[in-house]
Amino acid sequence: MPENNAAILTIGDELLIGQITDTNSVWIGQQMDNMGWRIGAKETVRDSVPVIVEALTRLMHQHQVVIVTGGLGPTADDKTLEAMSVFFQKPLVLFPEVEAKIRQYFAARGKSVSEQHRKQFYLPEGTDVLSNEVGTAPGMHMSRKGTHFYFTPGVPVELRYIFQKHIRPQVEAWNSGSVVQSHLFTAGIGETAVVDLLGDGLHNWPSFLGISFLPYLGGVRLRLTAQDSDGVRNRTLVDQVRKDLIKRLGSHFVSSELGQWNEIIQKMMLEQKLTLATAESCTGGYIASQITHVAGSSGYFKGSVVSYANEVKTQVLGVRKETIQNHGAVSRPCAEEMLTGLLGVIDADIGIAVTGIAGPGGGSAEKPVGTVFVAVGDGSVMNVERFNYRSSRHGIIEYTYHQAMYMVYKFLSDQ
Amino acid sequence: MPENNAAILTIGDELLIGQITDTNSVWIGQQMDNMGWRIGAKETVRDSVPVIVEALTRLMHQHQVVIVTGGLGPTADDKTLEAMSVFFQKPLVLFPEVEAKIRQYFAARGKSVSEQHRKQFYLPEGTDVLSNEVGTAPGMHMSRKGTHFYFTPGVPVELRYIFQKHIRPQVEAWNSGSVVQSHLFTAGIGETAVVDLLGDGLHNWPSFLGISFLPYLGGVRLRLTAQDSDGVRNRTLVDQVRKDLIKRLGSHFVSSELGQWNEIIQKMMLEQKLTLATAESCTGGYIASQITHVAGSSGYFKGSVVSYANEVKTQVLGVRKETIQNHGAVSRPCAEEMLTGLLGVIDADIGIAVTGIAGPGGGSAEKPVGTVFVAVGDGSVMNVERFNYRSSRHGIIEYTYHQAMYMVYKFLSDQ
């Protein structure tokens, strides 16, 4: 069995039919990956005892840790407890402390425990209970044949609570101390261009040092991994290679954290005590919503004018009618006037203005679908760029968001 | 093997470590489910020939159709073609028509075919090529032991193109003709309340008629499925039960289409030739971005003022400072004034105004995190509701969006 190999199993009919998007396994994958665990498999199965048991059995043979979410709810659909009982060959027994916790949870909300919820008092005999302060179903830990199994509810906030409080400290401790990972987050550059920039540096490293190229919209994440018995040597080596890479990447190196643009920009804006506003046409509020997705964004984000209709561009942002008549709403002058207007309407230090054609309709030969103008600036300096994306409507909006944030990043870095 | 049983296999290291969210399998699951296929398993594996071969072998035994995405790119990481060669015991051979297509694709973009991309000319001998007009790697169809395997690139736009053009017509034809499905989309009601409303009607149906309750944020989707040899009888029966259910659900029945709120509201607004605008505080532009996610939304959506900072509420929307001082920014009077102000600033028929506390900070005993006021109305009629959500920051924003759209729906339905 390879070391540090983990699997994720998500349980629920609703995940199979696309009723809900499985964000849990994405999140768990990120957390485990950042701790140096390798995710060997990810599976989704339906709420069925034999199917769950079969999956647990199979995953056990190839992984040291299996993280299971879902199927712990109070309804008859939920089969995970039953499947655990079969798989671990342990009866479901009353856990008085779990019962007390659940009764208390309902009492605090002025409710009594329903018949259905009593099911949650009974867990497989001998399980380690992982307390859940944000919901009723507790997490659980059990082992079989040397593999550690963790079970959590599928409700994202409960999963995350239980993972951070209980699972993380345990799996972190088991991870062999010699794995060293380091991330480099680039922007404004594709995978091929990164490889070109790194040049022959790539081939001169010892074999236990690996580099992965993980493209994302608008850039590439580089991950350095050193896995060897000598942890100290690894750290030194990784640090050394990192420095070399950062030099080679130049201005395309953005961050060493596995951050998202909204988090990176928030950190920079708060540090520099600056405020931001957006004027959005084709992105329709997407940039603002991504920015405000992050807790604490009210510390720097003032607001937005989503000027989807041209009359909002003229009446609210003060774009001149002649500008739209002469150049079109999707034009450099319009983006510039939107930005100037925005900073007049909302008192922010820096503004982003975006106008473009997200499609699928509205394109022309001169300005096809995917043509986007982004303006970023303060009262005195303004950078405007034109982009031509070939993508779906949503892809164009997503690219524009990344590009706009990268332009803010460059603007802030140049100050 | 149960009939109409399908599996989804997604391939790629980046999916396992949470680098990207697997939206493909969600989308495929929805499409297959809507055609009456049952999704029996969903798996993600890494780019490794033995691992892919093992997964294909296992899934073959339990499913009639296996849809595989990813790993068809030009780089050395991509192993799907090699795994297909091993699994189907067919060598990779040159497909001249594929080569011609790819050369043409690059020529149309003024580029020549790179060394790397030549890999994509070679496919397993005997495969059915599924043409890809939006990218380079074609889709493929092959069978083994009665199971149909479809392979598509992992790029969402390419997957969707190949699925709609090639895979859908084939799997639709294989599906036994007697499956009838019907959806009822409810809102403002939870699963337990729906069951109560339906009452004993649930128990009086023939056994081949199934009903599923699929909760989503703010409502429940009911799915009726009749699976029997007699297609005509099924249709009649499902129609009959539907009518009964709609009567019982009353005003909570929203739509029979598997629609999203943004699509439902767009259809209603365009039909009624009305326009919409939003004033958003705690949702930070999320409502506008969800609305404009749908192509054609410019036909009714005028724009938004995201008044994240209080000064934007007062300066742009004209909320009185005394209102904020006396009642707070998160209050019924503030929501009302935001709506009135919005309809003054943006000339729309109907407005949505939202103010609340998405958290995690900013709550108080009187107004805890999750307190949200939503106002919906035109110039003369205004409905304001207070909500108290217990959820994460993102959950509160998402709930508010659903609730705001439901309020617009009720407003439009009452006219």
Side-chain angles (χ1 to χ4, degrees):
Chain A
M1 196 187 312
E3 273 189 32
N4 303 321
N5 206 7
I8 303 169
L9 178 64
T10 54
I11 298 175
D13 294 348
E14 70 284 6
L15 295 166
L16 289 168
I17 62 174
Q19 175 69 19
I20 60 173
T21 304
D22 174 22
T23 54
N24 284 343
S25 72
V26 175
W27 186 84
I28 298 169
Q30 287 168 349
Q31 303 300 315
M32 295 296 283
D33 182 59
N34 284 341
M35 284 189 276
W37 282 81
R38 174 171 181 214
I39 306 298
K42 210 168 96 172
E43 268 188 55
T44 306
V45 297
R46 60 196 160 85
D47 297 295
S48 149
V49 173
V51 170
I52 297 170
V53 170
E54 190 271 331
L56 292 174
T57 310
R58 186 155 36 73
L59 294 173
M60 173 176 67
H61 292 303
Q62 292 159 358
H63 305 90
Q64 293 170 285
V65 166
V66 178
I67 298 177
V68 186
T69 71
L72 294 177
T75 67
D77 295 350
D78 294 301
K79 306 285 191 202
T80 302
L81 288 168
E82 230 176 305
M84 288 173 72
S85 174
V86 173
F87 176 71
F88 292 107
Q89 295 281 297
K90 296 283 179 195
L92 297 175
V93 298
L94 180 70
F95 274 64
E97 74 277 22
V98 172
E99 173 174 0
K101 261 272 166 77
I102 294 177
R103 290 195 182 279
Q104 193 188 329
Y105 181 92
F106 278 97
R109 285 155 179 80
K111 291 178 181 173
S112 62
V113 179
S114 71
E115 191 61 52
Q116 284 192 323
H117 273 94
R118 292 189 192 164
K119 181 180 163 188
Q120 296 183 321
F121 304 164
Y122 297 85
L123 309 180
E125 197 175 40
T127 194
D128 305 328
V129 175
L130 312 176
S131 67
N132 176 1
E133 302 299 331
V134 292
T136 57
M140 285 164 282
H141 166 241
M142 295 185 89
S143 305
R144 193 177 146 191
K145 294 197 179 171
T147 295
H148 292 274
F149 291 86
Y150 291 93
F151 297 85
T152 86
V155 183
V157 60
E158 301 183 30
L159 154 70
R160 291 176 192 214
Y161 176 85
I162 292 169
F163 187 93
Q164 300 290 23
K165 172 127 190 238
H166 303 287
I167 303 176
R168 173 188 288 284
Q170 297 192 9
V171 296
E172 226 161 21
W174 292 330
N175 197 351
S176 85
S178 61
V179 175
V180 175
Q181 285 212 339
S182 184
H183 298 270
L184 294 96
F185 196 67
T186 77
I189 191 166
E191 189 172 348
T192 323
V194 169
V195 173
D196 285 350
L197 273 181
L198 299 187
D200 53 4
L202 283 176
H203 304 292
N204 300 332
W205 303 333
S207 62
F208 61 90
L209 185 73
I211 184 164
S212 310
F213 298 87
L214 305 160
Y216 70 94
L217 271 179
V220 179
R221 174 159 72 105
L222 279 68
R223 184 179 50 179
L224 291 169
T225 311
Q227 191 155 11
D228 188 59
S229 55
D230 188 342
V232 178
R233 189 184 60 183
N234 287 354
R235 181 81 269 168
T236 314
L237 182 71
V238 166
D239 285 347
Q240 199 179 315
V241 171
R242 251 187 87 80
K243 274 187 201 145
D244 178 48
L245 291 185
I246 289 173
K247 215 167 75 188
R248 287 171 189 259
L249 290 168
S251 67
H252 293 292
F253 171 71
V254 173
S255 163
S256 55
E257 284 166 57
L258 180 58
Q260 302 291 320
W261 272 122
N262 45 10
E263 292 162 2
I264 292 168
I265 295 300
Q266 176 162 322
K267 192 157 169 274
M268 293 178 84
M269 296 289 292
L270 291 175
E271 273 170 15
Q272 299 189 28
K273 293 192 175 34
L274 293 171
T275 57
L276 184 71
T278 70
E280 305 185 39
S281 185
C282 65
T283 47
Y286 186 75
I287 299 173
S289 79
Q290 287 297 106
I291 287 171
T292 56
H293 189 82
V294 182
S297 49
S298 58
Y300 78 100
F301 186 66
K302 293 271 182 134
S304 175
V305 174
V306 179
S307 55
Y308 219 54
N310 282 347
E311 68 202 61
V312 179
K313 292 184 186 74
T314 55
Q315 287 166 17
V316 184
L317 292 174
V319 173
R320 289 173 305 153
K321 281 184 182 158
E322 307 83 71
T323 304
I324 296 180
Q325 274 159 14
N326 298 340
H327 304 279
V330 178
S331 65
R332 183 178 295 266
C334 184
E336 287 171 355
E337 291 186 22
M338 283 171 69
L339 180 56
T340 308
L342 171 70
L343 294 176
V345 174
I346 297 182
D347 180 26
D349 298 315
I350 298 177
I352 300 171
V354 168
T355 181
I357 306 160
S364 67
E366 195 201 342
K367 288 174 189 168
V369 168
T371 304
V372 178
F373 292 87
V374 181
V376 167
D378 53 21
S380 51
V381 179
M382 196 187 296
N383 300 323
V384 191
E385 288 191 47
R386 176 182 175 149
F387 302 98
N388 300 291
Y389 299 118
R390 283 174 169 273
S391 187
S392 63
R393 178 179 178 82
H394 185 61
I396 290 164
I397 292 171
E398 186 75 36
Y399 272 116
T400 305
Y401 157 65
H402 282 263
Q403 199 58 57
M405 296 302 266
Y406 182 46
M407 285 175 67
V408 173
Y409 171 81
K410 284 192 292 186
F411 191 87
L412 292 172
S413 306
D414 288 348
Q415 301 302 300
Chain B
M1 196 189 310
E3 273 190 31
N4 302 320
N5 206 8
I8 304 169
L9 178 65
T10 53
I11 297 174
D13 294 349
E14 70 283 7
L15 295 166
L16 290 169
I17 61 172
Q19 175 68 19
I20 61 173
T21 304
D22 174 22
T23 55
N24 285 343
S25 73
V26 175
W27 186 85
I28 298 169
Q30 287 167 349
Q31 302 300 314
M32 295 296 281
D33 182 60
N34 284 340
M35 284 190 276
W37 282 81
R38 175 172 181 210
I39 306 297
K42 211 167 96 171
E43 268 187 56
T44 305
V45 296
R46 61 196 160 85
D47 297 294
S48 148
V49 173
V51 170
I52 297 170
V53 170
E54 190 272 329
L56 292 173
T57 310
R58 187 156 36 74
L59 293 172
M60 173 176 67
H61 292 302
Q62 292 157 359
H63 305 89
Q64 292 170 286
V65 167
V66 178
I67 298 178
V68 185
T69 71
L72 295 177
T75 68
D77 295 350
D78 294 300
K79 305 286 191 201
T80 302
L81 287 168
E82 230 177 305
M84 288 174 71
S85 174
V86 172
F87 176 71
F88 293 107
Q89 297 281 296
K90 298 281 180 196
L92 296 175
V93 298
L94 180 70
F95 274 65
E97 73 275 25
V98 172
E99 174 174 0
K101 262 269 164 80
I102 294 176
R103 289 196 181 279
Q104 193 186 330
Y105 181 92
F106 279 98
R109 286 156 179 77
K111 292 178 180 172
S112 62
V113 178
S114 71
E115 191 61 50
Q116 285 194 321
H117 273 93
R118 291 188 192 166
K119 181 180 163 186
Q120 296 183 321
F121 304 164
Y122 296 84
L123 309 181
E125 196 176 41
T127 194
D128 306 326
V129 175
L130 311 177
S131 67
N132 176 1
E133 302 299 330
V134 292
T136 56
M140 284 163 282
H141 166 240
M142 295 185 89
S143 306
R144 192 177 146 192
K145 294 197 179 169
T147 295
H148 293 273
F149 291 86
Y150 290 94
F151 297 84
T152 86
V155 182
V157 61
E158 301 182 31
L159 154 69
R160 290 175 191 214
Y161 176 86
I162 292 169
F163 187 94
Q164 300 290 23
K165 171 126 190 237
H166 303 287
I167 304 176
R168 173 187 288 285
Q170 297 190 10
V171 296
E172 224 160 22
W174 293 330
N175 196 349
S176 84
S178 60
V179 175
V180 175
Q181 284 212 340
S182 185
H183 298 271
L184 294 96
F185 195 67
T186 76
I189 191 166
E191 189 171 351
T192 324
V194 169
V195 173
D196 285 350
L197 273 180
L198 299 186
D200 52 5
L202 283 176
H203 303 292
N204 300 331
W205 303 332
S207 61
F208 61 89
L209 186 72
I211 184 164
S212 310
F213 298 87
L214 306 161
Y216 70 94
L217 271 180
V220 180
R221 174 160 71 106
L222 279 69
R223 184 178 50 179
L224 292 168
T225 311
Q227 191 155 11
D228 188 59
S229 54
D230 187 343
V232 177
R233 190 183 59 182
N234 287 354
R235 182 80 270 170
T236 313
L237 182 70
V238 166
D239 285 348
Q240 200 179 315
V241 170
R242 253 187 85 79
K243 275 187 198 145
D244 178 49
L245 290 185
I246 289 174
K247 216 166 76 187
R248 288 171 188 259
L249 290 168
S251 67
H252 294 292
F253 172 70
V254 173
S255 163
S256 55
E257 284 166 55
L258 181 58
Q260 303 289 322
W261 272 122
N262 45 9
E263 292 162 2
I264 292 168
I265 295 298
Q266 176 162 322
K267 193 158 170 272
M268 292 177 85
M269 295 290 293
L270 291 175
E271 272 169 15
Q272 299 189 28
K273 293 191 175 34
L274 294 170
T275 56
L276 184 71
T278 70
E280 306 185 38
S281 184
C282 64
T283 47
Y286 186 75
I287 300 174
S289 80
Q290 287 297 105
I291 286 171
T292 56
H293 188 81
V294 182
S297 49
S298 58
Y300 79 100
F301 186 67
K302 292 271 182 133
S304 176
V305 175
V306 179
S307 54
Y308 219 54
N310 282 347
E311 67 202 61
V312 179
K313 292 183 185 75
T314 55
Q315 287 166 18
V316 183
L317 292 174
V319 173
R320 289 172 307 152
K321 279 183 185 160
E322 308 83 69
T323 304
I324 295 180
Q325 274 158 16
N326 298 339
H327 304 278
V330 178
S331 66
R332 183 178 295 265
C334 183
E336 287 170 357
E337 290 185 23
M338 283 171 69
L339 180 56
T340 308
L342 170 70
L343 295 177
V345 175
I346 297 183
D347 180 25
D349 298 314
I350 299 176
I352 300 171
V354 168
T355 180
I357 306 160
S364 66
E366 196 201 342
K367 287 173 188 168
V369 168
T371 304
V372 178
F373 292 88
V374 181
V376 167
D378 53 22
S380 52
V381 179
M382 195 188 295
N383 300 322
V384 192
E385 289 190 49
R386 175 181 175 149
F387 302 98
N388 300 291
Y389 300 118
R390 282 173 169 275
S391 187
S392 63
R393 178 178 178 85
H394 185 60
I396 290 164
I397 292 171
E398 185 76 36
Y399 272 116
T400 304
Y401 157 65
H402 282 264
Q403 198 60 56
M405 296 303 266
Y406 183 47
M407 285 176 67
V408 173
Y409 171 80
K410 283 193 294 186
F411 191 87
L412 291 172
S413 306
D414 288 349
Q415 300 302 300

